[in-house]
Amino acid sequence: MAPATTDPATMDPTAGLSDEDLVSADDEDLMDLGEVGQPVVERVLGGTVIWREDESS
């Protein structure tokens, strides 16, 4: 028997996601923030950067 294949064109990209994971009207527009990188991780995602590559390398 041939293995089952899944055609990405027919898959639902939101399958397995909760409503909280989807885009909604109250989400911040990251383009309007003017921030990228570490400030976004810390403020928007609530994360802490524990390691960062040296920018000179």
Side-chain angles (χ1 to χ4, degrees), residues 3-23:
T5 59
T6 305
D7 181 5
T10 62
M11 293 176 60
D12 180 4
T14 62
L17 298 177
S18 71
D19 288 343
E20 187 64 29
D21 295 326
L22 303 175
V23 176

Side-chain angles (χ1 to χ4, degrees), residues 3 8 12 16-19 21 24 26 28 37 39 41 46-48 50 53 56:
D12 180 4
L17 298 177
S18 71
D19 288 343
D21 295 326
S24 64
D26 66 339
E28 293 184 71
V41 171
T48 301
I50 58 172
E53 282 189 29
S56 64

Side-chain angles (χ1 to χ4, degrees), residues 37-48:
Q38 185 172 343
V40 173
V41 171
E42 293 173 342
R43 191 178 68 73
V44 177
L45 302 176
T48 301

Side-chain angles (χ1 to χ4, degrees), residues 28 30-37 39-40 43-44:
E28 293 184 71
L30 295 180
M31 296 300 289
D32 291 341
L33 296 176
E35 295 177 306
V36 296
V40 173
R43 191 178 68 73
V44 177

